[in-house]
Amino acid sequence: MPTATRPGPLTVSLLPPHEAYDYEYYKARLADPALLEDSVAICVFRAPLLAIPAGGQRLGGYHPVTDMNVGLAVRDLLQGRPGFTNLRLRWSPYPDSCPVVEWGEKSPTLWGRYDYVTLGRFYGYSDVAIDEFSTRSAARRGLQTPSSAPRLRSPAVQ
């Protein structure tokens, strides 16, 4: 697998996808796990994390990076690989997040409430994974969804 270096001791490399720490996580959640065949593990600071190509239901992807130098190295390594089209490095739109390398279509811009279904489908997650994530996120924020609300019983049913 190729390796890209930038000024300083930083080394960013690509490894086979199954060596990524989060490989099993994505395998269990993608609507089309066959995308993992063309994915790669991006190794920065000895921590390989998965980069999954766009394809099928998955319209785009992203990989968070610690800084712009790492982002440039990641972008260079993904350049020309199947499913990693329209590569771009950008600052995160959120002040508490790091820069990201993105590929494929531009992710949907969401205003107002969090729309996990739209984002989940854009990134190619299964309906089950989207539902589980939405339910957990609502619980963390203290919201109730129809599936997490307490069941009301009719007074006739005791």
Side-chain angles (χ1 to χ4, degrees):
M1 289 280 174
T3 298
T5 59
R6 293 279 174 200
L10 174 69
T11 299
V12 180
S13 60
L14 296 183
L15 299 172
H18 64 275
E19 292 188 30
Y21 291 165
D22 50 357
Y23 180 85
E24 294 298 325
Y25 174 89
Y26 286 106
K27 182 178 178 183
R29 287 165 178 80
L30 287 173
D32 181 9
L35 286 170
L36 295 174
E37 294 172 16
D38 288 326
S39 65
V40 292
I42 299 172
C43 189
V44 181
F45 305 120
R46 297 178 293 181
L49 298 175
L50 205 57
I52 304 165
Q57 288 181 235
R58 185 175 169 85
L59 303 178
Y62 72 95
H63 187 80
V65 293
T66 55
D67 59 55
M68 294 306 229
N69 284 332
V70 172
L72 290 169
V74 168
R75 185 196 63 188
D76 291 350
L77 287 171
L78 293 177
Q79 191 70 44
R81 298 186 70 82
F84 293 96
T85 59
N86 192 24
L87 283 161
R88 53 207 179 271
L89 173 61
R90 69 184 196 99
W91 296 104
S92 172
Y94 311 105
D96 60 342
S97 298
C98 53
V100 293
V101 176
E102 295 178 319
W103 53 88
E105 294 181 24
K106 188 175 179 187
S107 65
T109 301
L110 305 174
W111 299 101
R113 68 177 183 86
Y114 292 108
D115 187 349
Y116 298 118
V117 174
T118 300
L119 284 175
R121 287 188 177 144
F122 177 85
Y123 289 117
Y125 290 104
S126 69
D127 288 338
V128 170
I130 293 168
D131 184 55
E132 287 175 358
F133 183 84
S134 297
T135 301
R136 278 194 321 272
S137 295
R140 279 196 301 267
R141 292 192 324 269
L143 303 176
Q144 287 187 342
T145 63
S147 62
S148 67
R151 305 263 186 241
L152 298 177
R153 294 182 143 198
S154 166
V157 179
Q158 293 293 334

